Amino acid sequence: MERNLRHVGVPSSEITPEAVFLSRRQFLKVAGVVSATAFLAACGVKITAAGGPPSRAPTTTPVLTDELGGPANSIDQITHYNNYYEFSTNKLAVAPLSKTFKTSPWSVEIGGLVHNPKAYAIEDLLKFEQKERIYRLRCVEAWSMVIPWTGFELGELLKEAEPMASAKYVHFVTFMDRKQMPGEGDSLYPWPYREGLRLDEAMHRLTILATGLYGHALPNQDGAPIRLVVPWKYGFKSIKAIVKIELTEKQPETFWNDVAPREYGFYANVNPNVNTPHRSQAYERRIGELSRRPTLIFNGYGDEVAALYNGMDLSGFY
Ligand SMILES: Nc1nc2c(c(=O)[nH]1)N[C@H]1C(S)=C(S)[C@@H](COP(=O)(O)O)O[C@H]1N2
Ligand SMILES: [Mo]
């Protein structure tokens, strides 16, 4: 059991002795001050991206890694290389453009085929048990990061909403405000950003709604105040700044599938054996590393999620 938990990247709080976890919390605090890049460098982790010089931080604290041993990306990397078309198609411009985005007050409406529809204030969503999950994020553009999220299992929220027997899918919608999100004025795209999961995928324990990273509240550029994270699927499924969650009977339309259906399938499970029309998906570049690494089927989470797709032909879609 223990081994399984470790394998799926379950929060460090569940697999490390309290004392070590407390020192990790300490690390998170320190990291927030000296920047995680500097801290990881001080811990002997080689970081090739720009970052401050190694600091005088203590070297005894454990380095955050995913369950495969990959070190977490620095907070600088995670917050300055972002896909968020509502702000910009330029990954480097998202951080400055999203700086003043207003995330309070915020509420998320849950409706559709549920017995308990409800509008949740973000404060109420933060009352669900918040856990740490260190997950790989693999973008369909063939780059990846390791991100230490905090968040809660989407399944917990769905259980409270009580899906009706007819509910088969979950549809997610991003906030819409052209004044704050200049990209939403670009008529090339079918705003608002929408995504979807099959209900069993949404109920899977690896699927979380993230509310923070590196122990901080979620930065605006990463989808504040609340975004989806589905670690075995390409990054575009992990929709940011969610305002609406709707249970449906039919497979919902999604933003990228709408833009280019041949390129972005609904399932979008990470699969090194199925290339997208314009790109091989066999390898990826971890941000901060120079050489490419092989991409893993289901992004390395196959033991946990492959059973969701029993009987489905995984060669035709990705
Ligand atoms: N609303 C919204 N959600 C989004 C996107 C977006 O443009 N708008 N981009 C997606 C893509 S393509 C990726 S790879 C991830 C990137 O998350 P990150 O910037 O936090 O690393 O967010 C996803 N969620
Ligand atoms: Mo992406």
Side-chain angles (χ1 to χ4, degrees):
M1 191 60 185
E2 181 86 333
R3 214 177 55 108
N4 267 347
L5 287 176
R6 189 182 297 275
H7 185 70
V8 302
V10 148
S12 50
S13 56
E14 286 176 28
I15 58 168
T16 48
E18 176 98 320
V20 176
F21 179 61
L22 286 177
S23 67
R24 278 194 187 178
R25 302 304 308 183
Q26 206 53 40
F27 154 64
L28 291 175
K29 263 201 206 117
V30 174
V33 178
V34 302
S35 103
T37 306
F39 194 81
L40 289 173
C43 294
V45 175
K46 227 169 90 199
I47 289 166
T48 47
S55 72
R56 284 174 284 119
T59 53
T60 47
T61 5
V63 174
L64 293 178
T65 61
D66 69 6
E67 82 286 0
L68 302 178
N73 281 89
S74 72
I75 195 153
D76 283 345
Q77 291 166 335
I78 295 167
T79 57
H80 291 89
Y81 191 82
N82 299 101
N83 269 335
Y84 203 166
Y85 276 31
E86 284 85 342
F87 290 102
S88 176
T89 56
N90 172 356
K91 291 180 197 17
L92 309 183
V94 172
L97 285 171
S98 62
K99 216 171 187 143
T100 58
F101 180 59
K102 209 166 162 277
T103 57
S104 171
W106 194 276
S107 68
V108 180
E109 192 191 319
I110 303 200
L113 302 174
V114 294
H115 292 293
N116 298 321
K118 181 174 168 179
Y120 286 83
I122 188 71
E123 291 77 11
D124 293 331
L125 294 172
L126 288 168
K127 289 177 190 155
F128 283 90
E129 190 191 343
Q130 305 291 310
K131 304 175 173 185
E132 295 192 345
R133 293 284 171 91
I134 304 174
Y135 283 156
R136 295 173 290 285
L137 177 94
R138 169 57 159 85
C139 176
V140 73
E141 295 165 336
W143 54 266
S144 64
M145 291 202 210
V146 174
I147 304 182
W149 303 105
T150 45
F152 59 100
E153 291 173 22
L154 172 61
E156 296 298 310
L157 178 60
L158 293 175
K159 271 183 225 153
E160 202 167 282
E162 281 187 44
M164 294 177 181
S166 53
K168 299 282 182 290
Y169 294 90
V170 187
H171 189 212
F172 305 85
V173 184
T174 293
F175 185 71
M176 179 99 173
D177 176 7
R178 285 194 189 90
K179 282 209 191 82
Q180 289 199 73
M181 296 173 137
E184 289 179 337
D186 187 340
S187 58
L188 230 62
Y189 296 100
W191 308 104
Y193 198 100
R194 292 152 297 143
E195 257 306 335
L197 295 172
R198 220 170 51 192
L199 184 55
D200 58 342
E201 298 177 319
M203 294 296 295
H204 194 281
R205 57 182 296 281
L206 292 187
T207 303
I208 61 167
L209 287 172
T211 55
L213 59 84
Y214 263 114
H216 301 282
L218 201 60
N220 288 348
Q221 56 268 45
D222 293 284
I226 188 163
R227 64 91 62 84
L228 183 69
V229 180
V230 195
W232 71 95
K233 293 176 178 284
Y234 290 114
F236 65 84
K237 298 297 286 183
S238 294
I239 181 174
K240 298 176 172 182
I242 297 167
V243 289
K244 193 170 166 190
I245 299 176
E246 196 183 12
L247 282 87
T248 64
E249 186 162 6
K250 288 208 188 93
Q251 181 178 304
E253 283 185 13
T254 64
F255 181 87
W256 283 110
N257 190 250
D258 198 344
V259 171
R262 280 189 344 105
E263 198 124 357
Y264 309 106
F266 176 80
Y267 283 90
N269 293 318
V270 173
N271 188 343
N273 308 312
V274 177
N275 296 335
T276 46
H278 299 295
R279 199 188 308 269
S280 158
Q281 296 294 346
Y283 293 89
E284 67 198 60
R285 191 174 69 85
R286 182 67 47 83
I287 298 305
E289 293 180 359
L290 295 177
S291 53
R292 297 185 310 163
R293 53 170 76 213
T295 285
L296 305 173
I297 183 93
F298 294 115
N299 204 22
Y301 300 96
D303 286 356
E304 285 69 44
V305 303
L308 292 169
Y309 309 100
N310 279 345
M312 279 177 77
D313 177 8
L314 297 178
S315 65
F317 64 86
Y318 66 93

Short mmCIF file of all heavy atoms in Angstrom, two decimals, residues 83 91 137-141 143 193 234-237 256, ligand 2:
data_model
loop_
_atom_site.label_atom_id
_atom_site.label_comp_id
_atom_site.label_asym_id
_atom_site.label_seq_id
_atom_site.Cartn_x
_atom_site.Cartn_y
_atom_site.Cartn_z
N ASN A 83 1.24 28.60 -20.33
CA ASN A 83 0.24 28.65 -21.39
C ASN A 83 -1.07 29.12 -20.78
O ASN A 83 -1.62 28.48 -19.87
CB ASN A 83 0.04 27.26 -22.01
CG ASN A 83 0.96 27.04 -23.19
OD1 ASN A 83 1.39 28.00 -23.83
ND2 ASN A 83 1.26 25.79 -23.50
N LYS A 91 4.23 32.70 -23.82
CA LYS A 91 4.37 32.13 -22.48
C LYS A 91 5.06 33.06 -21.49
O LYS A 91 4.79 33.02 -20.30
CB LYS A 91 5.19 30.84 -22.54
CG LYS A 91 4.50 29.68 -23.22
CD LYS A 91 5.44 28.51 -23.21
CE LYS A 91 5.08 27.41 -24.18
NZ LYS A 91 4.16 27.70 -25.25
N LEU A 137 3.71 17.63 -15.33
CA LEU A 137 2.77 18.25 -16.28
C LEU A 137 3.41 18.16 -17.65
O LEU A 137 4.51 18.68 -17.86
CB LEU A 137 2.52 19.72 -15.92
CG LEU A 137 1.61 20.47 -16.88
CD1 LEU A 137 0.16 20.42 -16.39
CD2 LEU A 137 2.01 21.92 -17.06
N ARG A 138 2.75 17.46 -18.58
CA ARG A 138 3.30 17.26 -19.92
C ARG A 138 2.44 18.01 -20.92
O ARG A 138 1.27 17.65 -21.18
CB ARG A 138 3.32 15.75 -20.22
CG ARG A 138 3.61 15.32 -21.66
CD ARG A 138 4.92 15.81 -22.22
NE ARG A 138 5.39 15.00 -23.36
CZ ARG A 138 5.03 15.15 -24.63
NH1 ARG A 138 4.15 16.08 -24.98
NH2 ARG A 138 5.54 14.36 -25.57
N CYS A 139 3.00 19.07 -21.50
CA CYS A 139 2.27 19.84 -22.52
C CYS A 139 2.40 19.14 -23.86
O CYS A 139 3.43 18.54 -24.17
CB CYS A 139 2.82 21.26 -22.60
SG CYS A 139 2.05 22.26 -23.91
N VAL A 140 1.37 19.25 -24.68
CA VAL A 140 1.36 18.64 -26.01
C VAL A 140 2.41 19.29 -26.92
O VAL A 140 2.75 18.77 -27.97
CB VAL A 140 -0.08 18.70 -26.60
CG1 VAL A 140 -0.44 20.11 -27.02
CG2 VAL A 140 -0.28 17.70 -27.72
N GLU A 141 2.94 20.44 -26.47
CA GLU A 141 4.05 21.08 -27.21
C GLU A 141 5.39 20.41 -26.91
O GLU A 141 6.43 20.89 -27.36
CB GLU A 141 4.15 22.57 -26.83
CG GLU A 141 2.94 23.38 -27.24
CD GLU A 141 2.86 24.74 -26.56
OE1 GLU A 141 3.43 24.91 -25.46
OE2 GLU A 141 2.21 25.63 -27.11
N TRP A 143 7.01 19.88 -23.93
CA TRP A 143 7.83 20.25 -22.77
C TRP A 143 7.10 19.76 -21.52
O TRP A 143 5.90 19.46 -21.56
CB TRP A 143 8.08 21.76 -22.69
CG TRP A 143 6.86 22.64 -22.72
CD1 TRP A 143 6.30 23.23 -23.83
CD2 TRP A 143 6.02 23.01 -21.61
NE1 TRP A 143 5.18 23.95 -23.46
CE2 TRP A 143 4.98 23.84 -22.11
CE3 TRP A 143 6.05 22.75 -20.24
CZ2 TRP A 143 3.98 24.38 -21.30
CZ3 TRP A 143 5.05 23.29 -19.43
CH2 TRP A 143 4.03 24.10 -19.97
N TYR A 193 -12.70 29.42 -22.61
CA TYR A 193 -11.99 28.14 -22.58
C TYR A 193 -12.87 27.12 -21.86
O TYR A 193 -13.43 27.42 -20.81
CB TYR A 193 -10.68 28.32 -21.81
CG TYR A 193 -9.62 27.26 -22.04
CD1 TYR A 193 -8.55 27.49 -22.91
CD2 TYR A 193 -9.64 26.05 -21.34
CE1 TYR A 193 -7.55 26.54 -23.09
CE2 TYR A 193 -8.64 25.09 -21.52
CZ TYR A 193 -7.59 25.35 -22.39
OH TYR A 193 -6.60 24.41 -22.57
N TYR A 234 -2.53 15.40 -21.43
CA TYR A 234 -1.79 16.58 -21.87
C TYR A 234 -2.31 17.82 -21.13
O TYR A 234 -3.49 17.91 -20.75
CB TYR A 234 -1.91 16.76 -23.38
CG TYR A 234 -1.16 15.69 -24.14
CD1 TYR A 234 -1.81 14.75 -24.93
CD2 TYR A 234 0.24 15.61 -24.05
CE1 TYR A 234 -1.11 13.76 -25.61
CE2 TYR A 234 0.96 14.62 -24.72
CZ TYR A 234 0.28 13.70 -25.50
OH TYR A 234 0.98 12.72 -26.14
N GLY A 235 -1.38 18.76 -20.95
CA GLY A 235 -1.63 19.92 -20.10
C GLY A 235 -2.86 20.72 -20.45
O GLY A 235 -3.46 21.35 -19.56
N PHE A 236 -3.27 20.71 -21.72
CA PHE A 236 -4.41 21.59 -22.08
C PHE A 236 -5.71 21.16 -21.43
O PHE A 236 -6.66 21.93 -21.36
CB PHE A 236 -4.55 21.74 -23.60
CG PHE A 236 -4.92 20.49 -24.36
CD1 PHE A 236 -6.24 20.08 -24.49
CD2 PHE A 236 -3.93 19.74 -25.00
CE1 PHE A 236 -6.57 18.94 -25.22
CE2 PHE A 236 -4.25 18.60 -25.73
CZ PHE A 236 -5.57 18.20 -25.83
N LYS A 237 -5.77 19.89 -20.91
CA LYS A 237 -6.98 19.46 -20.20
C LYS A 237 -7.10 20.15 -18.84
O LYS A 237 -8.19 20.24 -18.28
CB LYS A 237 -6.96 17.94 -19.99
CG LYS A 237 -6.96 17.08 -21.23
CD LYS A 237 -8.19 17.22 -22.08
CE LYS A 237 -9.41 16.54 -21.49
NZ LYS A 237 -10.58 16.66 -22.44
N TRP A 256 -9.98 23.36 -27.31
CA TRP A 256 -8.97 22.97 -28.30
C TRP A 256 -9.52 21.99 -29.32
O TRP A 256 -9.13 22.01 -30.49
CB TRP A 256 -7.71 22.43 -27.63
CG TRP A 256 -6.89 23.56 -27.07
CD1 TRP A 256 -6.68 23.86 -25.77
CD2 TRP A 256 -6.21 24.57 -27.85
NE1 TRP A 256 -5.91 25.00 -25.66
CE2 TRP A 256 -5.61 25.45 -26.91
CE3 TRP A 256 -6.05 24.82 -29.21
CZ2 TRP A 256 -4.86 26.56 -27.31
CZ3 TRP A 256 -5.32 25.92 -29.61
CH2 TRP A 256 -4.73 26.77 -28.67
MO MO B 2 -0.20 22.70 -23.27
#
